[in-house]
Amino acid sequence: MSITKPGTFTQAGTRGKSKRGRTPSIDMDKIAHAVRKVSLDETDISMKDVADHLGVNVTTLYRHVGGIDGLRRIRASLSRNDLPPLPDATGHSWSSWLCVVAEYYRSALLQHPDLLDFVQAALDPDFINLEKEASILVEFGFEPRAALLAHSFLITTITGYVQQELQTIEDTRSGYAPYYSRLFQNLDAHPERLPTLSNVNLSQRDLDRDLNFKSIVTYAIAGIASQKGAPKRQQTLL
């Protein structure tokens, strides 16, 4: 025999009405807003932090974004919206302009490391920057295909450099000697073990990340200049 409170009746085969409140409804706009808010307080981001901010459980959030990579993609897109416009080419030759563009992308990736996970998909999802860069390079005298390849090569070069640069920064923060710092230590302690590298006469100046980046970009531009479809002469855009 079942006992019920007076004045209540439950039909057989049915469940009583839940006393719990409704789960808050969420959509991608609300998730993006939560990601931005959580990112202000945390260097990293987690499913739990965002779910807690939204007032839902992690499973509900997972159904919308598909996991932590989905949240990082959202944060990368938000970061892209904070970036300044592509640098103007007026007064530059194509090579000097690409140097400025390289610094632009390097700065963006250093300030917003999430962009590195998705690079082009996050930096330029609608291909607007790619179209603009290609059109400017064509104005400089590049053939369209060569302009596209120049952009691709430059982005690949910058991405690889910044990944190593961020690793160096992280190693330094954690108290671990970065790769090239350890090279210096080895050269000082046992130069005979690395005779070719010892003859380079490396100095602390060679550890300067800004100078090294400029050298890498110089190599990249020299490679671009030698490719089919690149302009034979430098000109300045007015």
Side-chain angles (χ1 to χ4, degrees):
M1 182 177 70
S2 63
I3 299 175
T4 62
K5 292 182 180 180
T8 64
F9 173 76
T10 304
Q11 183 178 348
T14 65
R15 297 176 61 186
K17 185 178 180 180
S18 172
K19 296 181 180 179
R20 296 172 59 188
R22 293 179 59 191
T23 300
S25 62
I26 61 173
D27 55 30
M28 294 309 293
D29 286 341
K30 291 180 179 179
I31 293 171
H33 178 74
V35 168
R36 183 181 286 279
K37 293 290 288 183
V38 170
S39 297
L40 293 175
D41 302 323
E42 304 290 338
T43 55
D44 202 356
I45 195 169
S46 72
M47 294 285 288
K48 184 178 184 305
D49 288 341
V50 175
D52 288 348
H53 186 87
L54 289 164
V56 299
N57 58 44
V58 171
T59 301
T60 299
L61 179 60
Y62 185 90
R63 286 200 295 267
H64 283 77
V65 301
I68 189 63
D69 279 348
L71 289 184
R72 287 177 177 152
R73 184 180 291 276
I74 291 170
R75 187 161 74 168
S77 296
L78 293 172
S79 298
R80 183 197 73 240
N81 294 335
D82 295 333
L83 298 181
L86 195 69
D88 185 22
T90 303
H92 283 285
S93 65
W94 71 261
S95 58
S96 68
W97 181 68
L98 285 185
C99 286
V100 174
V101 169
E103 285 289 355
Y104 168 84
Y105 282 121
R106 179 197 179 204
S107 177
L109 294 173
L110 285 175
Q111 291 177 36
H112 307 286
D114 276 337
L115 290 169
L116 270 175
D117 292 334
F118 311 103
V119 193
Q120 292 285 60
L123 279 169
D124 191 25
D126 300 319
F127 312 104
I128 300 302
N129 274 4
L130 179 58
E131 169 64 26
K132 185 173 182 179
E133 288 179 49
S135 66
I136 289 173
L137 289 175
V138 168
E139 285 187 62
F140 277 121
F142 279 79
E143 294 179 5
R145 180 177 292 276
L148 179 62
L149 292 175
H151 166 86
S152 177
F153 181 60
L154 188 65
I155 287 290
T156 301
T157 301
I158 296 165
T159 300
Y161 185 87
V162 173
Q163 284 177 330
Q164 183 61 52
E165 192 171 13
L166 287 170
Q167 184 61 55
T168 297
I169 293 170
E170 180 59 30
D171 287 346
T172 302
R173 286 175 179 167
S174 62
Y176 183 74
Y179 180 76
Y180 283 103
S181 294
R182 287 185 283 121
L183 170 61
F184 274 57
Q185 294 169 3
N186 276 265
L187 289 174
D188 288 341
H190 304 287
E192 72 283 354
R193 290 180 55 247
L194 305 168
T196 302
L197 297 177
S198 295
N199 288 333
V200 177
N201 294 321
L202 295 170
S203 69
Q204 288 299 314
R205 181 179 173 83
D206 292 296
L207 295 179
D208 188 301
R209 301 200 316 271
D210 293 337
L211 291 177
N212 283 331
F213 182 73
K214 289 177 181 177
S215 296
I216 291 295
V217 171
T218 297
Y219 274 107
I221 288 175
I224 290 170
S226 67
Q227 296 306 304
K228 179 181 178 182
K232 300 304 180 184
R233 297 177 181 177
Q234 292 277 4
Q235 62 172 333
T236 300
L237 287 190
L238 303 178

